[in-house]
Amino acid sequence: MFEELKLNENVGAPQPDALAQIARKDDFLQQLQEFLAQHKGENWCVAAIDIEHFKLYTELYGSQQAHSLLLSLTALLLEHSKATGSPVGYLGSDDFVLCLPDDKEQQLAIISHLQTCVNDYRQGVTSFLSFGVCPVAEHPDADAQTLCSYAQIASVDPSPAVGGMHRFTPAMLSRLKKQRQLLSELELALKNHEFCFFLQPKCNSMTRAIVGMEALVRWNHPTRGCVPPAEFMPLLESTGLVTQLDQYIWESVCKTLHKWQESGSNLVPVSVNVSVVDIVNLDVPQIFSNLVEKYQLEPKLLLAEITETMLAENASLMENTIQGLHRKGFSVMMDDFGSGYSSLNMLKDTNVDAIKLDMKLIDMNQQNRSKGVQIVESVVDMAHRLNLPIIAEGVETPEQVSMLQAADCLYTQGYYFYKPMPVENAEALLAQPNSEDYWDMRRDLMRRDRRVPISNSEQTALALQAYQIFADNVLELSLLNLSTGEYRVIKRDPRLPGAGSDTEEDFAAYCERMVTNKVIHPDDAEMFTDQTDLETLRSAVFSTQQPEAYRFRKNVSGQFVWITMEFLPCRNCCAQNPWATVVVREDAQADHLSEELDFSYSHDTLTGLLNRSLFETDLRTLQSSEYDSMVCTYIDVVGLHEINNHLGHRSGDAMLCCISNAARKFFASSRIYRIGGDEFVILTPNQPPYSVWVSVDRMRAFLREKEYEISVGIQNTNDLHRLDDAMNQAEAAMRQDKQAYYARNGQERQLRGLNEKLEQTLTEKRDAEHFLRVLAPKYQSVFVVDLKTDRMRGVIVPDYFQKILDVSGGSYIAVLQQYRDTLVEPACRESLADLLDYNYIRSKVLTGDIVERTYKKTDGTTFCVKVTPYSKSGTHIDETIWIFSCEDAALTPPPDEISD
């Protein structure tokens, strides 16, 4: 029977009378009942077919194109009926039913034919056929009507399809009944206005200044309380009711913004979600325009958030909507960036104003952190290059905040800073002094408009009152001449120590006094000095005309607290008008930031490990601990300097992250510190030294698989009062291990690993520009040569080599032969003869040796050629790297670096 299901190739073409030939609902049900009666006891299924997104397809490409698709599907189904003798039917819209053998192979055959037909008509909208089947044998008492209903229920079931179809189960019917009940409640909730919205702030992670909010819908159920959107939004979207809800939320947001504006409250833009159903069924740009006109708002206060998936599946439709919103003055954010399969295409093909990183990108663990950090850094860097503001959503931990700040992604949204909150709570939050500014997304991220919500008649009285409130809540208020350094203190809180500081008239002397008298926390003194450098401040403020703000710890009433120091330039601040207001205020959010600050001051930004500052503190505190013993492990990374110089610091950072993750993996219960650029310390309490050695050996083996090497020293102590001595002994042991490594095979192994990463880096086009800029003067030629095929890939190819290549026919031996005979001095040619013997080369390099020859060229310059393996295993076993360099090009670390 399977052969009979193979349809004719030309059947898919539209047949004008196909829909007239296929049975409609009543006729099909009668034919189905008769067919099942005739084939009682045989294994048959009733199948329902639904074309997903058919309404959207019709909206985009017109009813005539959609009708042609229906005709083609009908023709295929009629051919199926002719081949099998089983009935098929059309129930209207895009719903078809048919009878199939209950055989998976035959079912997949007809499904494949039908899906191919849909694919032929697919354009900018992703369309698939949804199949639901109901086996007749499993429901012997069901009539034709019931079997069709069960099949249709299965076709719309949200669970993953098995083998391209959904098979009906009683649980589907139960879910459908619950859905119908929920839908009834939702319709009533829309009518009774039971929906509201919460606001979740978007903020600057460094200052916690709020730069926007997102409106998130909530359902205030009369008996169940607040129902999260995950429980009802999918049903609203599938039924189209989401358009009613979204329009209600959009208007509610505008009402709230209007109320804030009328009361003189601080304003921030609020973003609202726009669904694909909204865009298909509504004129979203016009609705937004009508709302801001009705409530007397600026368009930049209302933002649209559109998901990346929507853009990916409906590119042309979405781009038209984005352009329409732009013409009306609105900005659009791409939500969930990184969740889809075509994120980069979305940035290329759409004109969004900002992107929001999908929370999955920053949800990392110890195993994937190194790779995840690099992905985030690349995305952020790309966004900055495209002048796209970028916000990370779903931020929940201080580690994520630290990682994002290091990647230069300062704007965040998530539970770590603020959870979604009722509107009244958001109003109270915006009333705080540090929330005065709002973010205009169409301008640079750090440029913010300032609003003065007062009328001219009230301006003088209110300005005096505002000044008094302002002055009462700052620790220091001064004027600074950015050109001369003249400093005039207007108001200074008596809680601040440092006699005479209030009469200081020179800014540099004032800052020096703050550091000398330890008014600034000693750990922040260097940062404070750098940030208050007058020349740096002057250059920044004159060029940007924007405020500069810095945070550090300052002594207030005998305790160090976090304060913010702001430099506010006057209007048109320049050399002729160089005055700025200096405001020093206590950070109102210091308590909320304590966890973040503790983390940032105790952890290494790149790796997330504990840092040197905490290591030095722990060395003191652990001496008074109750531990019986401590094993000190000192680790140094071999070759970081060369990796940074040859492949760039990004490759070096990746190496450090890999080693950090390995340390976490093999020393899960220990305290791990990064105390220098390439040095790590691991403190393991109450463990025998041999168990630590076992962990070190496993860690080394793990890293060697990745072509990384470490030097290690271990020292155990049972007297924690002498922990410093144990650490010194561990460091000394590490240095002995490092010297022994280089004495054995360190230089050769390092060069092989470097060469492999070098070629891989170049072929992947990472850091190529840096490589060529730094190494081209040293490495005259670099080739990857396959000893089996005599073919090569050029990494660095000078002109004279290229000329030889052009006439060599692709043979590397021919290239090398001509090079030797034309450009090498005759006296040196014999020394290069064995380079033409691939068997000799293979026997040397694949046993760990480096083939090295020095010779003179005909122009008198001395050259060196080195041949190393590309890889000792895998698919590159026959490949080698050939490096031709000047005599003074150092390919291995100089002796003074090895001994460090």
Side-chain angles (χ1 to χ4, degrees):
M1 184 175 286
F2 174 67
E3 293 298 326
E4 295 176 351
L5 288 173
K6 292 186 177 180
L7 309 181
N8 295 333
E9 293 181 0
N10 297 324
V11 172
Q15 304 296 321
D17 59 345
L19 280 174
Q21 296 176 20
I22 193 169
R24 299 306 173 105
K25 181 178 179 180
D26 291 340
D27 291 339
F28 170 76
L29 291 176
Q30 183 177 348
Q31 293 174 16
L32 177 61
Q33 195 72 47
E34 294 173 354
F35 179 83
L36 294 177
Q38 295 170 5
H39 296 79
K40 196 169 185 179
E42 298 180 13
N43 292 327
W44 287 87
C45 286
V46 176
I49 302 174
D50 177 74
I51 306 175
E52 295 181 359
H53 307 313
F54 184 70
K55 183 177 180 181
L56 175 60
Y57 186 95
T58 304
E59 290 283 344
L60 287 176
Y61 305 112
S63 57
Q64 184 174 353
Q65 180 81 352
H67 188 68
S68 294
L69 171 58
L70 293 179
L71 288 174
S72 294
L73 273 177
T74 303
L76 281 173
L77 291 172
L78 288 172
E79 184 67 16
H80 163 76
S81 179
K82 182 179 178 181
T84 62
S86 61
V88 296
Y90 175 58
L91 306 185
S93 184
D94 59 331
D95 297 322
F96 293 88
V97 282
L98 67 155
C99 209
L100 289 171
D102 192 8
D103 178 87
K104 185 176 181 179
E105 186 177 7
Q106 297 186 49
Q107 289 170 353
L108 290 177
I110 187 63
I111 288 174
S112 175
H113 280 290
L114 296 173
Q115 184 62 59
T116 300
C117 173
V118 174
N119 292 343
D120 292 341
Y121 281 84
R122 184 187 302 171
Q123 296 185 30
V125 179
T126 301
S127 297
F128 295 100
L129 293 180
S130 177
F131 291 86
V133 298
C134 178
V136 176
E138 294 179 11
H139 307 276
D141 299 328
D143 58 12
Q145 174 69 63
T146 303
L147 293 170
C148 286
S149 297
Y150 286 172
Q152 287 181 303
I153 291 171
S155 71
V156 297
D157 189 77
S159 61
V162 178
M165 67 191 76
H166 295 89
R167 196 175 181 93
F168 175 79
T169 64
M172 293 179 180
L173 185 59
S174 177
R175 280 198 297 269
L176 182 62
K177 290 179 179 178
K178 290 180 180 179
Q179 269 193 357
R180 295 283 170 83
Q181 175 62 32
L182 179 60
L183 183 59
S184 177
E185 294 182 24
L186 286 171
E187 291 174 340
L188 186 62
L190 286 169
K191 182 179 179 181
N192 295 337
H193 301 298
E194 294 175 7
F195 292 97
C196 67
F197 65 90
F198 277 23
L199 291 170
Q200 185 175 29
K202 306 165 186 173
C203 66
N204 183 318
S205 65
M206 297 291 290
T207 65
R208 295 185 76 96
I210 297 172
V211 297
M213 293 191 175
E214 180 181 3
L216 302 168
V217 65
R218 294 293 186 268
W219 180 11
N220 287 322
H221 195 281
T223 58
R224 297 167 57 191
C226 187
V227 180
E231 293 189 25
F232 61 84
M233 283 302 295
L235 183 56
L236 285 177
E237 290 174 349
S238 65
T239 58
L241 288 174
V242 69
T243 58
Q244 297 181 40
L245 175 60
D246 284 347
Q247 289 184 86
Y248 175 74
I249 296 299
W250 300 344
E251 182 153 11
S252 299
V253 167
C254 290
K255 285 181 181 178
T256 300
L257 286 169
H258 176 73
K259 186 185 76 170
W260 291 352
Q261 184 171 263
E262 289 298 297
S263 63
S265 301
N266 293 325
L267 287 174
V268 295
V270 177
S271 60
V272 295
N273 290 289
V274 178
S275 74
V276 66
V277 183
D278 296 329
I279 292 175
V280 169
N281 293 287
L282 304 172
D283 186 348
V284 175
Q286 188 59 49
I287 291 175
F288 271 40
S289 181
N290 293 342
L291 286 172
V292 296
E293 182 179 353
K294 178 179 179 180
Y295 292 101
Q296 301 175 340
L297 301 171
E298 295 182 67
K300 61 184 176 182
L301 290 175
L302 183 65
L303 311 180
E305 289 198 18
I306 299 175
T307 66
E308 178 194 330
T309 304
M310 292 165 54
L311 287 164
E313 294 185 351
N314 315 282
S316 59
L317 179 65
M318 293 300 161
E319 184 58 26
N320 290 337
T321 301
I322 292 172
Q323 292 177 6
L325 287 166
H326 283 166
R327 285 192 294 268
K328 301 287 187 180
F330 298 98
S331 296
V332 181
M333 302 184 75
M334 182 193 292
D335 196 10
D336 298 334
F337 180 79
S339 62
Y341 56 85
S342 55
S343 302
L344 298 182
N345 281 337
M346 291 305 96
L347 288 185
K348 175 175 67 71
D349 298 333
T350 60
N351 190 26
V352 294
D353 302 283
I355 60 178
K356 291 177 71 177
L357 279 182
D358 183 63
M359 63 180 64
K360 295 184 183 66
L361 283 181
I362 63 170
D363 184 16
M364 303 175 194
N365 53 41
Q366 289 188 356
Q367 286 70 39
N368 64 18
R369 187 181 192 280
S370 176
K371 186 185 295 184
V373 168
Q374 293 182 58
I375 292 173
V376 170
E377 287 177 346
S378 300
V379 171
V380 173
D381 180 65
M382 177 181 60
H384 290 333
R385 289 174 182 270
L386 295 174
N387 292 320
L388 277 176
I390 183 167
I391 297 177
E393 59 180 341
V395 180
E396 297 181 350
T397 67
E399 290 87 351
Q400 291 173 336
V401 175
S402 178
M403 179 270 294
L404 289 166
Q405 289 175 350
D408 201 21
C409 179
L410 298 184
Y411 292 91
T412 55
Q413 180 182 354
Y415 278 30
Y416 179 75
F417 293 100
Y418 302 102
K419 295 181 179 180
M421 61 187 71
V423 172
E424 54 270 20
N425 292 11
E427 290 175 355
L429 186 63
L430 287 174
Q432 295 179 4
N434 69 329
S435 298
E436 293 176 349
D437 301 334
Y438 71 85
W439 182 30
D440 183 348
M441 288 182 44
R442 290 162 301 172
R443 305 169 64 189
D444 185 81
L445 273 176
M446 297 306 296
R447 300 175 183 270
R448 304 200 188 104
D449 294 339
R450 296 181 175 275
R451 302 183 63 81
V452 183
I454 51 179
S455 62
N456 291 333
S457 61
E458 301 172 312
Q459 187 162 354
T460 302
L462 287 180
L464 290 173
Q465 181 183 358
Y467 173 81
Q468 187 61 49
I469 295 172
F470 177 74
D472 289 344
N473 285 276
V474 299
L475 297 174
E476 192 169 295
L477 188 63
S478 308
L479 285 176
L480 170 63
N481 188 313
L482 292 167
S483 294
T484 66
E486 179 182 356
Y487 193 65
R488 301 178 188 174
V489 177
I490 299 172
K491 182 259 185 186
R492 193 165 190 276
D493 195 299
R495 295 177 296 162
L496 294 175
S501 296
D502 55 337
T503 60
E504 192 66 70
E505 294 184 354
D506 180 78
F507 184 65
Y510 162 83
C511 293
E512 183 178 358
R513 186 193 296 268
M514 292 295 99
V515 173
T516 303
N517 293 349
K518 297 186 177 179
V519 177
I520 305 300
H521 194 289
D523 289 348
D524 299 343
E526 183 177 353
M527 176 178 65
F528 172 82
T529 301
D530 292 340
Q531 292 171 342
T532 55
D533 176 72
L534 187 63
E535 183 177 350
T536 304
L537 278 172
R538 179 169 56 243
S539 175
V541 173
F542 283 2
S543 62
T544 67
Q545 296 291 304
Q546 295 299 314
E548 292 287 319
Y550 304 105
R551 297 182 67 254
F552 43 85
R553 289 168 290 185
K554 194 167 187 176
N555 193 320
V556 179
S557 299
Q559 292 184 338
F560 284 103
V561 299
W562 282 98
I563 63 98
T564 296
M565 189 176 197
E566 291 184 280
F567 299 85
L568 310 176
C570 63
R571 188 183 298 275
N572 300 320
C573 189
C574 60
Q576 292 71 39
N577 187 24
W579 290 97
T581 301
V582 182
V583 180
V584 181
R585 56 182 172 79
E586 189 171 353
D587 193 337
Q589 302 293 330
D591 292 338
H592 299 286
L593 284 172
S594 60
E595 183 182 358
E596 171 201 350
L597 297 171
D598 287 344
F599 179 86
S600 62
Y601 274 89
S602 62
H603 286 68
D604 175 55
T605 300
L606 173 66
T607 64
L609 298 179
L610 304 176
N611 62 15
R612 186 181 190 92
S613 175
L614 187 61
F615 168 67
E616 293 173 348
T617 300
D618 285 353
L619 275 185
R620 296 190 298 269
T621 58
L622 285 172
Q623 294 181 18
S624 303
S625 69
E626 298 181 356
Y627 293 129
D628 296 326
S629 65
M630 186 73 67
V631 181
C632 307
T633 305
Y634 206 108
I635 296 175
D636 180 85
V637 180
V638 176
L640 177 63
H641 176 75
E642 287 71 29
I643 291 291
N644 282 336
N645 283 347
H646 291 229
L647 301 182
H649 285 274
R650 182 164 291 183
S651 296
D653 289 348
M655 178 185 188
L656 291 171
C657 289
C658 178
I659 292 171
S660 300
N661 289 334
R664 291 187 180 97
K665 177 182 179 68
F666 296 105
F667 291 90
S669 59
S670 302
R671 295 178 68 81
I672 309 171
Y673 308 83
R674 181 189 178 201
I675 64 170
D678 57 357
E679 294 180 329
F680 298 81
V681 166
I682 302 173
L683 297 180
T684 308
N686 296 339
Q687 292 287 330
Y690 74 84
S691 67
V692 174
W693 272 116
V694 170
S695 296
V696 166
D697 288 342
R698 294 172 62 198
M699 179 177 170
R700 268 183 162 155
F702 174 81
L703 292 173
R704 282 171 179 167
E705 290 181 358
K706 303 179 181 299
E707 297 291 342
Y708 294 142
E709 188 64 60
I710 56 176
S711 299
V712 183
I714 293 178
Q715 182 63 43
N716 179 58
T717 181
N718 296 321
D719 183 2
L720 266 64
H721 292 290
R722 303 189 64 182
L723 192 57
D724 284 335
D725 292 339
M727 281 306 315
N728 292 335
Q729 293 174 35
E731 183 179 3
M734 178 276 296
R735 297 204 178 279
Q736 291 180 2
D737 184 52
K738 186 174 184 179
Q739 289 178 353
Y741 168 80
Y742 278 115
R744 294 191 307 271
N745 63 353
Q747 296 180 9
E748 295 179 359
R749 182 185 181 91
Q750 183 183 357
L751 179 59
R752 289 198 303 272
L754 173 62
N755 287 340
E756 179 173 348
K757 292 176 177 60
L758 179 148
E759 203 277 338
Q760 180 183 358
T761 296
L762 287 174
T763 56
E764 293 176 0
K765 299 182 179 179
R766 294 186 290 110
D767 295 337
E769 181 181 350
H770 174 78
F771 173 86
L772 293 174
R773 184 174 65 251
V774 174
L775 295 187
K778 297 181 179 180
Y779 293 176
Q780 298 298 318
S781 309
V782 180
F783 304 97
V784 179
V785 180
D786 190 314
L787 302 179
K788 185 176 182 179
T789 64
D790 191 27
R791 298 302 180 191
M792 54 152 285
R793 302 196 306 275
V795 179
I796 297 179
V797 183
D799 291 339
Y800 60 85
F801 248 119
Q802 188 60 54
K803 291 178 181 177
I804 299 175
L805 286 170
D806 292 340
V807 297
S808 70
S811 167
Y812 183 68
I813 286 184
V815 172
L816 195 60
Q817 178 88 39
Q818 188 171 350
Y819 171 83
R820 187 194 66 168
D821 294 343
T822 57
L823 296 176
V824 177
E825 281 190 357
C828 298
R829 292 173 186 172
E830 186 62 27
S831 65
L832 301 183
D834 53 11
L835 295 181
L836 302 175
D837 183 353
Y838 280 171
N839 290 329
Y840 170 81
I841 296 293
R842 184 182 288 105
S843 67
K844 288 293 185 180
V845 299
L846 295 187
T847 57
D849 291 338
I850 295 177
V851 177
E852 183 173 353
R853 297 290 183 271
T854 301
Y855 59 95
K856 282 190 176 182
K857 293 178 61 178
T858 53
D859 60 5
T861 57
T862 301
F863 259 62
C864 175
V865 57
K866 293 191 178 188
V867 185
T868 73
Y870 178 90
S871 175
K872 295 178 68 176
S873 61
T875 58
H876 304 292
I877 193 169
D878 288 305
E879 291 189 336
T880 53
I881 294 182
W882 297 57
I883 298 177
F884 295 78
S885 62
C886 299
E887 185 180 36
D888 60 348
L891 302 182
T892 54
D896 59 337
E897 291 189 15
I898 297 174
S899 60
D900 285 345

